[in-house]
Amino acid sequence: MDAFRYVMDSAGWQLAKAYGVTITTTAAGTVLSLVFMSMMAYALARPDFRWARIFGFLVYFTLLFNGGMVPGYMVVTRVLHLKDTLGALIFPYVIGAWNLLLMRTFFKGIPYELIEAAKIDGAGNFSIYLKVTVPLCKAAFATIGVLVALQYWNDWWLPLLYIDSNKLANLQYLLYRIMANIQAISEMAASGAVDVDFSNIPSETVRMAMCILAAGPMLVVFPFFQKFFAKGIMAGSIKG
């Protein structure tokens, strides 16, 4: 328990704030991601959408090539002006090409006759999407939702790039900084640069304690979505 005491004593209040930031970004990012990706996947899955092949290729193209870190940084900071805001932790991951293509596969499995029947009854595109497609793809939403939530929860790269304020540091980034500080102190003590008794700092057990603190909430949430996750992965693997 010394490792947990060390983490709580050294960054207890910051840890609580980091949990708040992580929960906020995970919840908001997952909801936005499911909304936007499902609407785009629904359009790409419709056989009567004439530009489906072109837009589908553009989405697939981003899996192979991307602009790189520097252009992405310039877009987020200079074009969107999201530097040091919660938006910088949410919007870069809202649309994921692989998740979008996976959700499109689910939507393609819905018989087009259902959509035609809804059209005959006078339903518009948004009504068909909301009242026909979404209820039939709960497994898809659960599967993609778990993948997206894990991506947001485990992310430390975005705050490393775009966040300067300690108030907006998420859980993973805070734990990364704690571990980096311990490593720096260890190296300085080993080289004799500083007179520090490093034996009282539980470095390896702190790493394990941070893993428990970071993964704990997701380990509690995941079992509730496990049946949908397994069903969704199997369905997405066999549908063309």
Side-chain angles (χ1 to χ4, degrees), residues 138-202:
K138 292 181 180 179
F141 279 85
T143 302
I144 304 300
V146 170
L147 295 176
V148 173
L150 286 173
Q151 183 180 26
Y152 277 106
W153 187 271
N154 293 325
D155 180 59
W156 58 270
W157 178 245
L158 292 182
L160 180 64
L161 288 178
Y162 305 123
I163 300 300
D164 295 329
S165 174
N166 291 329
K167 296 180 180 180
L168 296 177
N170 66 1
L171 179 63
Q172 301 293 341
Y173 181 54
L174 176 63
L175 299 182
Y176 164 79
R177 289 196 306 183
I178 292 175
M179 205 63 226
N181 292 336
I182 293 176
Q183 184 67 25
I185 295 174
S186 175
E187 293 176 356
M188 294 175 65
S191 63
V194 293
D195 187 13
V196 177
D197 184 12
F198 187 72
S199 61
N200 294 327
I201 302 179

Side-chain angles (χ1 to χ4, degrees), residues 68-147:
M69 183 177 67
V70 174
Y73 181 85
M74 294 176 65
V75 169
V76 172
T77 58
R78 298 186 181 182
V79 178
L80 301 178
H81 303 287
L82 295 177
K83 176 72 172 179
D84 212 23
T85 64
L86 279 177
L89 304 180
I90 297 175
F91 292 114
Y93 291 155
V94 166
I95 300 293
W98 189 85
N99 292 331
L100 176 60
L101 295 176
L102 180 61
M103 185 167 284
R104 184 191 64 173
T105 303
F106 279 102
F107 288 168
K108 280 187 174 182
I110 298 177
Y112 187 64
E113 289 76 9
L114 289 176
I115 297 177
E116 291 180 330
K119 282 184 177 181
I120 294 175
D121 291 336
N125 286 324
F126 187 76
S127 297
I128 296 173
Y129 157 77
L130 192 62
K131 297 180 180 180
V132 177
T133 305
V134 172
L136 293 175
C137 293
K138 292 181 180 179
F141 279 85
T143 302
I144 304 300
V146 170
L147 295 176

Side-chain angles (χ1 to χ4, degrees), residues 18 25 31 54 60 69 132 158 220:
T25 56
V31 171
I54 296 176
Y60 177 73
M69 183 177 67
V132 177
L158 292 182
V220 175

